[in-house]
Structures are given as C-alpha cells and as structure tokens.
Amino acid sequence: MSTHLVWLRNDLRINDNSALAAACRDNQAEVLALFIATPGQWQQHSMAPKQAAFIHQNLCLLQQSLAERGIKLHFHQCDDFAASVDYLATFCQEYKVDALFYNYQYEINERQRDAAVEKQLDQQGVVCQGFDDSLLLPPGSVQTGSNSMFKVFTPFSKAFIRRLQQGLPECHHAPKARAGAPVAAGKKIAAFDYPVEEFDETWFPAGEEAALKQLRQFAQQRVEKYDQQRDIPAIDGTSRLSPYLAIGVLSPRQCLHRILKEHPQALNNGSALVWLNELVWREFYRHLMVAFPALCKHQPFVDWTRNVSWQQNEQHLTAWQQGKTGYPIVDAAMRQLNTLGWMHNRLRMITASFLVKDLLIDWREGERYFMQQLIDGDLAANNGGWQWAASTGTDAAPYFRIFNPTTQGERFDKQGEFIRRWLPELQDVPDSAIHQPHAWAEKNNKKLDYPAPIVEHKAARKKTLDAFERARSAA
C-alpha cells in the first residue's frame, strides 16, 4: 500500500486544500499529514507572537478534523528551514512515504527550502507534487502584452478580472473519511518554542468553521456597503478575514465563490467588486514577489529611493510604536495594533505615511514592527503596503503625496468615535477639537494626559520632500 504525506504549512484547513485533496484521491493509499514548526526561522522573519498563538490554536483544531477523516497529523519542531529539510527526509524514510504533496509558498527562503526538499526526496525515490493553492491564479499567469509582470495595479486588476470572467478556479471538497476513520488524533500539538500572546477570540475565533461563518456573514450582510464603509475605522465595515487567509485557514477561492454566490454580478460591478479588488491586491503583491525576489530581501522596488537619507531617531520610533506621537488618529491606530494584533486598512496607510513622511524613518523599521505585531502578518502584503506608503514600491503613492494626519483623522473619524475607543485620555475633548486636542486644552485652560505632537506636520513635510528630491537628483 502506498503512503502519501501532506506537508502542511500556510494551509491549515481541510476544505479546498489542493495538496490534501490530491493526496486523498487514491482511496487505497494511507494518508499522513505533517506540520513542522521552525521557531528560529520565525524569529528571523519577525513573526508576531499573536500569530504564533493563532497558528497553534488552528493547528490543534485541524488535528481533530483530520483524525475524524482517518488522517493522523504529526508535529515536529526544529530550529530553521535547513533542519526541517533533514527532518522531512528522515520522516519519509521512517514511514515509507512514496509521495509528498504540498502547497507552494512564494517567499524566497521558502522556495529555496522546497527546492532542497525535492532534491533530497528525489534521491530517496519519493515523488513530490506541489500546487498553486494560496492564490486565485498562479504567479506569471497574468502578464502584459509583452509577457512581463505588470508594475501598475490597475491594468493588472483589469487583466486579472477578465481571466476570472473567462473561468473560475474550482474549489476542492474536504476529503471523505478514509477506511478505518476516525483515528486517534495522536499526541497533542506541543507548545511552540516561541513567544506566544493571547489574541482576542471574539474578533478572530480559531478554526475553519469560524472562518467560514465570518465569510458568510460578511458576504450576506456587509459587503453591499463595503465601498461606503471600508474607510471608517469606527464601523465594522471590513471582512476581518485576513488572519485566516494569512495562515490558510481560508482560501481565496472560497472567498471568491462565496461572494459570487451571494452577488452573482460581483465580477462586473458593485460594492462586492470593490472588495474582490482587495483580493486582487493580495494577488498582485504575491505575483510581484515571485517576479522580483529582491522584494523578499527588503529591497526597494524603485532603485533611486535607496539614496533617501532616513533619520535615525529612536525616540520618535518608540513614540510611533507606542501610540504617543500627539496625533490622535495615528496613536489610536497604533494602540489598536498593539492590543489586537490587527489594524484597519485605512489606518495602516495613515500610520505608515506618518512614520515615513512625517518622521522620515526608514520604511523597513515600520515593516518589521508591523510583522512583529500582526496576527495577519504576510510578507508580500505587508511589504507591498509599506513600499506603497513609502513611495519606494511599484505603483506606489508618488513621493510628494504626503498624508496630513490631522485632516485624515477629520475625514475618516470626524466625531472621534474610534479615537476615544483607544485613547481614553481624550474622552472629555469635544468632537470639534478631538483631532487637535492641545489647542483646545490651551484655549480652555485644561490639562491633558496626552503627549504634544512630536513633529509639526508642515515642517516635516518639507523636510521629507527635500530628502526625496535630493535622492532622486543623486540618481
């Protein structure tokens, strides 16, 4: 009898899992699953402790789901990817594995690890099968007329949507119970040798059932108003599905098909199309990462921006990280991040712009800090977002486009509802003054337990424009 091994990574689900579905097609084969934790590698990649905890909880639930279908999930910890290659080879020998099934990861370290695995297992006579599973369309399948990767999002999005209109990627059913199911789940998944932090389970309940429920509710109740509400952080107007997509508890195909079930015209127009374009942004950054691997090495896409003279200011960086800049919308957003491990998308743009364009601090400091905090940490999306805000990336905001944090707050949190939720020290400041509370306090002879602005926006803007213009001239 053949033995098939499913190597699980960022695909912690039984529904619509390409590698799992392929491994289970042979009803006579024994199917095993394996997850290898690599804490040393996670440390190098700045994985957030909240994301580590989220992975662990989802892994425990997945172990139960697989056992019910007659598939035992094995677990192992080793330091890094090199050690995981050695362990995988040993595992395949011990369990007499004939075929390995896995879903591709697109980051450069992960691709090098997978190449090493295939080389090693080929020598052992193990057949390896990889699948494009975490994307709607494989990298390289959406290209310009000259057969190159798009460098601007809008034409990429149009070409991508046209491809979907011509034919949708299919979803795979969860595997049926195998002969002898259920099986004993095996040893409980050990605690990771990695820092973990509790996450808010009312916001992000673990497990596939919870993820699918959240997807259904969003598609049925909130996506119709997504285009009107997505920029208002005080409103629960976004899907909050990103943590599930980041570790593969949910697939983008499930998202696409659910939205189309509730809104059949979503690929043509309407608010649902606006949300689907967020999925396309996710695809865009992943496709770019494969086409330009230097993005995985924290290199700017726009070469001349290497010349920008970033400021080294630990006090300013710490104030930004702790939500103590004196700009209420920035500080409320950073405190949301530090508490939940998640930040509203509009606020990600505002806080990133503030770090880079007001404080003139290297975008890589922000990129790293976000990864250290985010429960939905994802290299491609995080890097793409930061390079967009820093004007160093493909199709980025032009360097002279600099958000004014005060007017951004006035525009997207006019009455300060979101600000007061995260900055209780501003509870008594009236709506009309919430975005410039110190001016109100001075005028009314009040004392505020809230820091004064650490920079003056107008002066900071000029300083940043000068720095970027010098960098461009030097190139």
Side-chain angles (χ1 to χ4, degrees), residues 111-124:
R111 292 169 72 190
Q112 290 170 346
R113 172 206 58 196
D114 292 351
V117 164
E118 293 217 1
K119 182 178 179 181
Q120 177 66 33
L121 293 189
D122 181 61
Q123 294 171 1
Q124 296 177 203

Side-chain angles (χ1 to χ4, degrees), residues 300-308 310 363-364 390-392 468 471:
F301 189 85
V302 179
D303 196 61
W304 67 261
T305 61
R306 296 173 191 271
N307 300 324
V308 175
W310 303 109
W363 58 273
R364 283 160 285 219
S391 306
T392 64
F468 271 79

Side-chain angles (χ1 to χ4, degrees), residues 126-381:
V126 179
V127 176
C128 298
Q129 296 186 43
F131 302 86
D132 285 299
D133 179 76
S134 67
L135 293 169
L136 294 170
L137 297 174
S141 64
V142 181
Q143 296 191 323
T144 66
S146 58
N147 297 319
S148 60
M149 176 60 199
F150 284 96
K151 297 178 183 178
V152 178
F153 175 73
T154 300
F156 174 84
S157 175
K158 289 179 179 177
F160 196 97
I161 295 294
R162 281 197 301 270
R163 282 286 306 274
L164 294 181
Q165 290 169 339
Q166 292 164 9
L168 299 177
E170 294 183 3
C171 284
H172 302 284
H173 293 294
K176 294 179 180 178
R178 306 187 72 73
V183 298
K187 286 180 64 177
K188 185 179 179 182
I189 304 294
F192 295 152
D193 295 329
Y194 192 82
V196 294
E197 286 180 12
E198 290 185 3
F199 57 92
D200 191 332
E201 294 186 50
T202 60
W203 274 65
F204 307 113
E208 282 186 77
E209 287 185 18
L212 290 168
K213 179 181 178 182
Q214 196 151 308
L215 172 60
R216 280 194 303 273
Q217 289 178 341
F218 176 71
Q220 292 169 355
Q221 301 170 15
R222 302 204 307 279
V223 77
E224 285 187 343
K225 294 183 178 179
Y226 178 76
D227 59 338
Q228 304 163 36
Q229 298 183 344
R230 62 176 176 152
D231 284 327
I232 312 299
I235 296 174
D236 186 19
T238 64
S239 69
R240 284 192 273 117
L241 295 173
S242 53
Y244 303 103
L245 285 164
I247 67 169
V249 177
L250 199 62
S251 81
R253 291 177 299 277
Q254 289 172 300
C255 295
L256 174 65
H257 283 277
R258 171 54 63 177
I259 291 295
L260 287 172
K261 182 175 182 180
E262 305 294 339
H263 306 275
Q265 296 303 311
L267 288 175
N268 299 310
N269 52 55
S271 184
L273 177 58
V274 176
W275 185 76
L276 286 179
N277 247 323
E278 297 299 327
L279 281 184
V280 181
W281 270 107
R282 179 177 179 273
E283 302 267 328
F284 181 57
Y285 288 139
R286 270 177 159 71
H287 286 224
L288 276 170
M289 193 168 60
V290 174
F292 304 99
L295 294 174
C296 295
K297 300 178 179 180
H298 310 291
Q299 299 301 310
F301 189 85
V302 179
D303 196 61
W304 67 261
T305 61
R306 296 173 191 271
N307 300 324
V308 175
S309 297
W310 303 109
Q311 288 192 331
Q312 300 288 328
N313 191 319
E314 286 300 320
Q315 286 184 319
H316 281 181
L317 177 61
T318 300
W320 175 81
Q321 291 171 339
Q322 295 179 352
K324 295 180 179 179
T325 68
Y327 285 89
I329 194 66
V330 173
D331 294 340
M334 294 304 294
R335 295 191 201 181
Q336 180 186 52
L337 172 66
N338 293 336
T339 302
L340 293 177
W342 180 88
M343 188 191 288
H344 186 279
N345 187 57
R346 166 56 59 173
L347 301 179
R348 296 188 196 208
M349 291 188 277
I350 294 171
T351 55
S353 177
F354 186 84
L355 182 74
V356 178
K357 302 288 179 68
D358 281 79
L359 303 183
L360 197 55
I361 290 175
D362 193 328
W363 58 273
R364 283 160 285 219
E365 294 284 357
E367 180 191 25
R368 183 182 305 110
Y369 187 73
F370 267 39
M371 285 300 288
Q372 291 169 346
Q373 302 299 320
L374 287 171
I375 193 172
D376 63 354
D378 174 282
L379 173 61

